[in-house]
Amino acid sequence: MAHLQLSSVGGGGRSAAAGGGGDDMEDVALLGSYDEEMGAPAMGGGAGEEEEAHVRVTGMTCSACTRAVEGAVSARRGVRRVAVSLLQNRARVVFDPALVKVEDIIEAIEDAGFDAEILPDSAVSQPKSQKALSAQFRIGGMTCANCVNSVEGILRKLPGIKGAVVALATSLGEVEYDPSAINKDDIVQAIEDAGFEAEFLQSSEQDKILLGLTGVHTEIDADMLHDILKKMAGLRQFGVNTTLSEVEIVFDPEAVGLRSIVDTIETESNGRFRAHVQNPYSRGASNDAHEASKMLHLLRTSLFLSIPVFFIRMVCPSIPFISTLILMHCGPFLMGDLVNWILVSIVQFVVGKRFYVAAYRALRHGSTNMDVLVVLGTTASYVYSVCALLYGAFTGFQPPIYFETSAMIITFVLFGKYLEVLAKGKTSEAIKKLVELVPATAILLLKDKEGKFTGEREIDALLVQPGDVLKVLPGSKVPSDGVVLWGTSHINESMITGESAPMLKEVSSVVIGGTINLHGVLHVQATKVGSGTVLSQIISLVETAQMSKAPIQKFADYVASIFVPIVITLSILTFSVWFLCGSFGAYPHSWFDGTSNCFVFSLMFSISVVVIACPCALGLATPTAVMVATGIGANHGVLVKGGDALERAQNVNYVVFDKTGTLTQGKAVVTTAKVFSGMDLGDFLTLVASAEASSEHPLAKAVLDYAFHFHFFGKLPSSKDGMQQRKEQILSQWLLEAEDFSVVPGKGVQCLINEKKVLIGNRALMSENGVSIPPEAESFLVDLEMNAKTGILVAYDSSFVGLMGIADPLKREAAVVVEGLKKMGIHPVMLTGDNWRTAQAVAKEVGIEDVRAEVMPAGKADVVRSLQKDGSIVAMVGDGINDSPALAAADVGMAIGGGTDIAIEAADYVLVRNNLEDVITAIDLSRKTFNRIRWNYFFAMAYNVVAIPVAAGALFPVTGLQMPPWLAGACMAFSSVSVVCSSLLLRRYRKPRLTTVLQITVE
């Protein structure tokens, strides 16, 4: 999620040119370590030889400069990644030496207007080591938390594995590994050797693709396809699998496009072969359906064979004709017993083979799970029944036979497993709904060499490439993220952002893939495709969150690790106590019927204990609830990055709000301008605008727009495009030339105009330069600050000239959300770099009593830590790069969706809609989720605490209540299903209405 850009970010970054304006340094890379930034995904994407260069860049003054350097360098073909640190004046560039040289990088930086030199520690001559990959595997055969721990333990011991996380609820494993030390096939083999099924799904390699094939059936077809692929430029390696009709291709995306590969396969084979991209999510869905189908088949078979066994035992003896048949002798055996033996043997060893295989695999690796309990219980019943049958055949004494016990146990367990598979499938419905948002096809507009549109072509939506121009019809879905080139329409973005109101889209508007075009036809140029789209990154984030473990799950994992041995011990103890007590006459023989004996009586209690115990319910209590909650959150525009974040958010004591762009709209507007010298107002505005034109900061843009409209209002064309063109022409002629422009961190900016020094900033800047502020100006400035406005002071040629008042309006919901948090027992805090008067005025308006003002970006994390000293849980809500240290330091970081990438990366929650109401939603969802998890644990623990003593016969001496093993099996089967269904109740979650939170009664 390092590069999730949910909406366009306005403004550049510089130190505020306003009173105390440290809070306005929204985009300056104050984290300072470009080494951390280089962990981001590659821009260009090839996986060939890479080299790295460290460059000293001088002349950078703000984040606009860093972006200019990054843009200039990344535009060079062959540059993989580039990160620039403003504070270190360094750039780190990873590039392909076959396509670009170090000299080209230096030239690109110098062409952008900066000085550059290679640093001595540059590792240019050494190829960059291959970075770790993240791969996803589907793992079958896991039944409880112990299986998860076993798989994770085995994976982490493999050489080259950096990390492994396995999720029981989704049957998925995510492994981070070094491809130079181990490959995906080795990982699959290791999982299978551990006794589980494994299948590779996808990896983070951006230049590897799996294509499904039609028309490739024989080795001759495969050879023909091999020849076609071998001639294609840009393909590094490929492998054709005729059995699965698939081809895996590793290619250079800079040399050949995915659509070109698919088209070439079809054209070169004269239409004989067709290729299509395999969607990993669709494959996953088909695997889930296959697993459910397989379980249903086993259940039907077991049920078909078990019903006759049950009838022969319970019903048939009451029917005279059938009773005579089953009592007929077939050799030394009764006909009924022989039929039961045959039917149950099929159930036990054919249908129940999966339990034996799973139990063997678990025991082989020193772990135990539910399958071990099922195998112990059913095998004990089956072996006893066979021995009793043989004993009766050769002695003539007929001891009781319990064949139906093992058959019914297996049937009920399979029934429970089938219901569990269906229920677990519903927990991941949020992912499925998001995947289904992507349309199957897209309409590509074809161009000729002159760039004119010549026609249309329908293509697979997965084959859309950056730069493609797509036609989006009314009622259809946008195929990928892009920019509108032509047309006007409204788009429903609720499925991505949770915002119900349709959004107006016109030329230059940004659109999100998967959203629905409501009215007009649009021509959209694709900017991000595949894994780079907002939708794909949301899916990736939700998946990652669903695979993460909440700390509360450690308890379940520990209990699961000791559960089965304890149950087996209790089972042996149960048998021993009942048998010894019966042998010494401690209870009357009337407690068991005449055909039974003390041994059989004790054995049935013992088997019931083994069968009724269920470790699965404990293992499913947390992950299923987390899965449902993260999916529900995504549907409401609240993205959760993991179960640990979800758990911490429930106990939040403080919510710390950044001011600019979080509590306020982040759109600065000049409200007043006043001159305190003989200078004309128009000349004053021209002077300030000329100085601020060198910056891209939001405050600078506000000043520029105000001055521009003051001079040219009513003199511009009415059309938007015409006005923009005219504005650009006027700006180049109207503004004065500013020289030696520089930023004074935390104080403002300075430059030379007409060879005279211009200062624009706060009181500190004026004081440092010996500029005195007249009393009437100071009084006017205080009034501005008391009304929540920021004052910008202006000096020219060492004399104070005038000032401007800038307001950043509060978000409409800010005050109500703050009041809502108070009602929830949470203490709100406002954190800002602005001056105390402005901060107090804003805080008063929004209803926050605890204000921390004039805090520089580096000090925001210190404020968060000071609140944490007494053990309080602190949530931080912010949107800028300068908030990221505080977001990382907070127990729960919440990034506003329209914020910067680094802020989003540092946060635990992403509020997609840029609406503060979602802060309440995030905390409320966390509380509801963990209430549900606690109930799940209560049900799971209470079930075992109550069921095991009942199965052991604790109530039998008083009530005569005995639980037969088959009924114990049914109870065990339904216990895990009940926990999953309990988690599914979270799907009924509704966002809290502020009227409810505030206890407001609406007449």
Side-chain angles (χ1 to χ4, degrees):
M1 291 298 294
H3 284 267
L4 173 60
Q5 186 77 23
L6 294 169
S7 66
S8 58
V9 181
R14 65 160 169 90
S15 294
D23 188 56
D24 296 312
M25 297 170 65
E26 295 295 344
D27 291 332
V28 182
L30 293 170
L31 295 182
S33 172
Y34 60 86
D35 289 325
E36 293 176 6
E37 293 178 36
M38 292 303 288
M43 289 182 232
E49 183 178 281
E50 291 181 345
E51 290 182 1
E52 182 178 296
H54 295 249
V55 185
R56 177 180 287 114
V57 184
T58 53
M60 298 188 298
T61 58
C62 64
S63 70
C65 301
T66 63
R67 284 202 297 273
V69 173
E70 287 178 351
V73 175
S74 60
R76 294 291 173 119
R77 185 168 179 265
V79 173
R80 306 292 190 206
R81 294 182 293 281
V82 57
V84 181
S85 170
L86 175 64
L87 298 186
Q88 294 176 319
N89 288 317
R90 298 177 86 182
R92 181 179 172 190
V93 185
V94 177
F95 61 96
D96 185 345
L99 299 174
V100 66
K101 305 298 181 188
V102 176
E103 293 76 16
D104 298 327
I105 295 170
I106 298 295
E107 182 183 352
I109 296 173
E110 290 177 344
D111 287 345
F114 303 90
D115 296 324
E117 62 174 324
I118 291 291
L119 292 170
D121 60 345
S122 210
V124 174
S125 59
Q126 301 172 12
K128 187 175 184 290
S129 60
Q130 199 169 11
K131 67 175 182 179
L133 294 179
S134 176
Q136 203 174 68
F137 299 84
R138 183 169 298 281
I139 303 172
M142 298 188 298
T143 56
C144 63
N146 232 24
C147 301
V148 172
N149 295 337
S150 178
V151 175
E152 286 182 350
I154 289 161
L155 287 174
R156 287 169 181 161
K157 291 176 184 175
L158 295 175
I161 299 293
K162 298 181 180 292
V165 179
V166 177
L168 174 65
T170 56
S171 299
L172 292 177
E174 196 164 280
V175 183
E176 186 180 1
Y177 66 98
D178 181 355
S180 62
I182 192 171
N183 60 42
K184 62 179 176 60
D185 296 325
D186 296 332
I187 296 171
V188 168
Q189 188 64 47
I191 297 171
E192 289 179 342
D193 288 344
F196 301 91
E197 300 167 3
E199 179 191 2
F200 170 77
L201 289 181
Q202 59 183 344
S203 80
S204 59
E205 277 190 297
Q206 295 181 1
D207 58 351
K208 181 181 287 186
I209 194 69
L210 189 67
L211 299 178
L213 300 169
T214 54
V216 179
H217 306 294
T218 65
E219 287 301 323
I220 297 174
D221 294 335
D223 291 340
M224 183 177 172
L225 179 61
H226 189 277
D227 292 337
I228 293 170
L229 295 174
K230 192 164 60 175
K231 297 174 186 175
M232 209 178 300
L235 265 60
R236 296 190 179 131
Q237 64 184 66
F238 49 86
V240 182
N241 187 327
T242 52
T243 307
L244 298 176
S245 294
E246 293 176 346
V247 57
E248 188 179 83
I249 298 174
V250 178
F251 67 99
D252 183 350
E254 293 186 355
V256 63
L258 180 56
R259 190 164 68 242
S260 301
I261 297 173
V262 172
D263 291 345
T264 303
I265 290 173
E266 185 174 346
T267 53
E268 291 295 318
S269 66
N270 295 320
R272 181 175 174 181
F273 306 143
R274 290 180 180 271
H276 59 275
V277 180
Q278 292 273 48
N279 189 324
Y281 299 108
S282 300
R283 295 176 73 202
S286 66
N287 282 332
D288 290 341
H290 176 71
E291 176 69 17
S293 175
K294 181 179 174 183
M295 197 64 69
L296 180 60
H297 174 70
L298 288 173
L299 173 61
R300 284 173 175 168
T301 305
S302 182
L303 195 61
F304 177 76
L305 296 171
S306 298
I307 288 175
V309 175
F310 182 80
F311 267 81
I312 289 172
R313 166 77 175 182
M314 301 295 181
V315 180
C316 292
S318 304
I319 304 173
F321 172 71
I322 299 178
S323 175
T324 305
L325 287 177
I326 62 175
L327 292 175
M328 288 176 58
H329 277 270
C330 183
F333 306 108
L334 294 177
M335 181 66 71
D337 292 339
L338 193 60
V339 171
N340 276 352
W341 188 10
I342 294 170
L343 294 176
V344 171
S345 295
I346 298 172
V347 173
Q348 184 76 31
F349 300 110
V350 179
V351 177
K353 177 184 175 182
R354 67 186 307 276
F355 297 111
Y356 280 96
V357 172
Y360 167 71
R361 289 169 173 172
L363 293 171
R364 191 177 67 179
H365 288 90
S367 61
T368 50
N369 57 19
M370 187 205 75
D371 296 305
V372 174
L373 296 179
V374 172
V375 165
L376 278 175
T378 57
T379 303
S381 174
Y382 178 83
V383 170
Y384 162 76
S385 298
V386 171
C387 292
L389 182 64
L390 295 175
Y391 180 79
F394 293 106
T395 64
F397 175 74
Q398 297 291 335
I401 296 172
Y402 294 95
F403 276 126
E404 77 283 351
T405 296
S406 63
M408 295 301 287
I409 288 173
I410 288 174
T411 301
F412 279 119
V413 170
L414 287 174
F415 182 51
K417 280 290 170 192
Y418 175 64
L419 293 179
E420 191 180 314
V421 168
L422 294 180
K424 283 185 347 189
K426 291 185 180 297
T427 63
S428 59
E429 273 192 358
I431 288 280
K432 293 173 186 173
K433 287 180 180 177
L434 288 170
V435 172
E436 288 167 2
L437 290 178
V438 182
T441 61
I443 300 175
L444 175 67
L445 294 178
L446 305 175
K447 296 180 183 178
D448 57 18
K449 293 181 179 179
E450 297 177 357
K452 295 180 180 178
F453 295 117
T454 58
E456 301 174 357
R457 175 189 168 196
E458 191 173 45
I459 61 170
D460 189 327
L462 295 171
L463 297 179
V464 173
Q465 297 173 172
D468 284 347
V469 178
L470 309 169
K471 183 178 181 180
V472 186
L473 300 173
S476 64
K477 295 176 182 176
V478 179
S480 72
D481 293 3
V483 177
V484 177
L485 296 182
W486 177 88
T488 303
S489 182
H490 281 80
I491 285 185
N492 180 1
E493 296 181 344
S494 61
M495 62 289 298
I496 302 292
T497 66
E499 183 61 64
S500 57
M503 306 298 292
L504 174 65
K505 300 295 178 181
E506 49 192 0
V507 175
S508 300
S509 296
V510 175
V511 292
I512 303 173
T515 54
I516 301 174
N517 181 23
L518 298 178
H519 305 300
V521 176
L522 295 176
H523 289 182
V524 174
Q525 184 172 40
T527 54
K528 294 180 181 178
V529 299
S531 60
T533 62
V534 169
L535 181 59
S536 294
Q537 291 179 342
I538 288 175
I539 292 170
S540 175
L541 182 60
V542 174
E543 276 195 326
T544 303
Q546 290 181 345
M547 291 185 65
S548 68
K549 290 184 179 180
I552 196 173
Q553 196 171 338
K554 291 178 182 176
F555 166 73
D557 291 345
Y558 172 73
V559 172
S561 66
I562 61 172
F563 189 89
V564 174
I566 289 175
V567 168
I568 292 172
T569 303
L570 289 174
S571 174
I572 294 171
L573 189 63
T574 299
F575 174 80
S576 302
V577 170
W578 279 108
F579 184 71
L580 290 174
C581 288
S583 300
F584 291 109
Y587 55 82
H589 288 280
S590 60
W591 282 10
F592 48 87
D593 55 47
T595 59
S596 182
N597 55 52
C598 180
F599 175 82
V600 176
F601 185 64
S602 304
L603 181 64
M604 289 301 110
F605 281 123
S606 176
I607 292 173
S608 293
V609 169
V610 170
V611 173
I612 203 167
C614 183
C616 296
L618 278 170
L620 290 168
T622 299
T624 51
V626 169
M627 277 191 71
V628 177
T630 50
I632 291 297
N635 289 339
H636 287 91
V638 176
L639 303 182
V640 192
K641 289 194 179 178
D644 52 346
L646 203 62
E647 182 167 346
R648 289 194 300 270
Q650 63 170 325
N651 297 317
V652 165
N653 306 111
Y654 291 91
V655 173
V656 180
F657 291 98
D658 169 51
K659 180 176 77 69
T660 305
T662 303
L663 286 173
T664 66
Q665 295 178 14
K667 297 176 182 177
V669 178
V670 176
T671 59
T672 183
K674 190 166 184 178
V675 181
F676 291 88
S677 68
M679 185 180 290
D680 178 73
L681 180 59
D683 294 338
F684 170 73
L685 292 176
T686 301
L687 180 74
V688 179
S690 300
E692 294 285 15
S694 300
S695 172
E696 292 185 3
H697 191 271
L699 289 183
K701 288 184 175 294
V703 170
L704 202 58
D705 285 343
Y706 184 82
F708 182 83
H709 283 282
F710 177 85
H711 285 292
F712 301 102
F713 183 73
K715 303 176 184 178
L716 295 172
S718 57
S719 74
K720 185 177 178 181
D721 293 342
M723 186 174 122
Q724 185 63 32
Q725 293 170 6
R726 179 75 174 132
K727 182 177 178 180
E728 291 172 0
Q729 291 172 2
I730 293 172
L731 284 176
S732 63
Q733 302 165 4
W734 162 57
L735 296 175
L736 304 173
E737 185 178 355
E739 299 175 340
D740 296 335
F741 176 88
S742 63
V743 174
V744 183
K747 296 167 186 174
V749 298
Q750 61 186 21
C751 65
L752 293 177
I753 294 179
N754 297 328
E755 298 183 356
K756 293 179 182 179
K757 192 171 187 179
V758 178
L759 300 171
I760 303 176
N762 56 20
R763 292 182 181 87
L765 182 66
M766 300 296 134
S767 177
E768 276 185 8
N769 288 272
V771 177
S772 60
I773 304 171
E776 62 270 24
E778 179 66 34
S779 176
F780 188 78
L781 179 59
V782 170
D783 287 340
L784 286 176
E785 292 170 347
M786 294 295 286
N787 287 289
K789 295 176 182 176
T790 299
I792 293 182
L793 307 176
V794 182
Y796 181 56
D797 195 20
S798 301
S799 298
F800 183 80
V801 179
L803 59 80
M804 304 181 76
I806 293 185
D808 186 0
L810 282 173
K811 289 181 178 174
R812 288 178 300 174
E813 73 276 8
V816 187
V817 168
V818 167
E819 184 65 23
L821 288 172
K822 291 178 182 177
K823 292 286 186 182
M824 295 171 72
I826 297 169
H827 187 73
V829 180
M830 191 179 84
L831 190 59
T832 176
D834 217 334
N835 65 78
W836 275 101
R837 285 197 189 96
T838 304
Q840 292 284 6
V842 171
K844 183 178 180 182
E845 192 175 345
V846 83
I848 294 178
E849 291 84 20
D850 192 346
V851 182
R852 314 294 171 96
E854 297 181 7
V855 180
M856 296 299 286
K860 290 188 176 183
D862 295 331
V863 172
V864 169
R865 293 188 190 99
S866 70
L867 294 171
Q868 293 170 325
K869 280 184 179 177
D870 62 351
S872 296
I873 305 298
V874 178
M876 170 74 193
V877 186
D879 70 320
I881 287 177
N882 64 337
D883 299 324
S884 51
L887 287 168
D891 298 288
V892 182
M894 297 184 184
I896 295 292
T900 60
D901 294 339
I902 293 178
I904 289 169
E905 185 180 7
D908 302 300
Y909 283 78
V910 179
L911 310 182
V912 180
R913 292 194 310 155
N914 202 4
N915 190 320
L916 290 177
E917 290 180 35
D918 291 337
V919 173
I920 289 178
T921 302
I923 296 172
D924 183 68
L925 176 62
S926 171
R927 290 179 176 181
K928 294 283 197 312
T929 301
F930 275 83
N931 281 340
R932 180 57 53 189
I933 288 174
R934 291 185 189 98
W935 275 111
N936 286 352
Y937 277 133
F938 172 77
F939 288 139
M941 292 297 293
Y943 164 80
N944 285 296
V945 167
V946 172
I948 291 175
V950 170
L955 300 179
F956 185 80
V958 178
T959 65
L961 178 65
Q962 182 179 11
M963 183 176 289
W966 64 266
L967 182 58
C971 292
M972 185 270 284
F974 284 99
S975 65
S976 55
V977 176
S978 66
V979 168
V980 178
C981 291
S982 171
S983 294
L984 286 175
L985 290 176
L986 278 171
R987 293 170 66 194
R988 299 166 58 189
Y989 175 82
R990 294 291 179 268
K991 290 174 60 174
R993 297 178 61 184
L994 288 174
T995 51
T996 306
V997 175
L998 298 174
Q999 299 172 351
I1000 297 172
T1001 304
V1002 181
E1003 295 293 339

